[in-house]
Amino acid sequence: MSDKPILKPAKTLALIASELENLDSLIVQDEFLQVVNQEPPKGFVKNHPLASGVKYIPIDKVEALLTKIFQLWTVDVIASGQLLNAVYVTVRLNYQHPITGEWLHQDGVGAVAIQVDKGKNASDLGAIKSNAVMLGLPSAKSYAIKDAAEHIGKLFGRDLNRKRS
């Protein structure tokens, strides 16, 4: 058996354009896209406790979906830091395509406001709670992972808060 990779024939722009006209039928023909573009299980979707009218999928459910679909996935923290009165994390979510075996990735960002003493201004460094960063960074990382996963498909919450026209 040859070690040379199997090359797919290049698509012409005309072929790509004609496929776009039938995008819904192409998704139906692709098993992977069928799975990741289905609606998330209703029991996974929650109302956000702090933002009225906003829906979300908790991180434990997102991680369970990643494990169930991909089995092999990792998260790399690309950056973290302070931005104004918040801490932020940027991650790269790496996952192995369950059919092709190809490693793919999506990047995501998350941020959480730094907690300060009640009634104090976030710009007052002396008012920052002693455990603010310890609590904020893991939360920001969770938001970043969820943000990256949403780019994979509806199953991970991509369209939860989009207005339908």
Side-chain angles (χ1 to χ4, degrees), residues 25-149:
S25 65
L26 288 174
I27 289 174
V28 169
Q29 294 171 17
D30 185 315
E31 285 182 279
F32 174 72
L33 290 179
Q34 279 183 27
V35 171
V36 298
N37 283 305
Q38 63 184 302
E39 295 296 325
K42 292 198 186 306
F44 284 17
V45 178
K46 308 291 181 199
N47 291 315
H48 198 284
L50 303 176
S52 179
V54 174
K55 302 212 177 284
Y56 78 105
I57 301 174
I59 187 64
D60 66 314
K61 304 298 189 249
V62 170
E63 290 173 336
L65 288 169
L66 288 168
T67 300
K68 180 69 174 172
I69 294 168
F70 301 112
Q71 296 172 0
L72 297 175
W73 62 277
T74 62
V75 175
D76 299 325
V77 174
I78 297 171
S80 64
Q82 183 178 351
L83 180 64
L84 302 173
N85 65 336
V87 290
Y88 72 90
V89 175
T90 303
V91 301
R92 174 157 292 157
L93 172 61
N94 305 289
Y95 55 96
Q96 189 175 36
H97 193 288
I99 297 171
T100 67
E102 179 182 8
W103 277 93
L104 304 170
H105 69 268
Q106 295 293 340
D107 294 342
V109 295
V112 175
I114 295 174
Q115 294 181 352
V116 295
D117 295 331
K118 188 173 183 168
K120 298 291 184 175
N121 190 319
S123 63
D124 180 1
L125 295 179
I128 294 174
K129 292 191 176 284
S130 62
N131 63 350
V133 174
M134 181 179 71
L135 295 173
L137 274 177
S139 294
K141 181 181 176 190
S142 292
Y143 287 127
I145 293 168
K146 291 179 357 171
D147 181 57

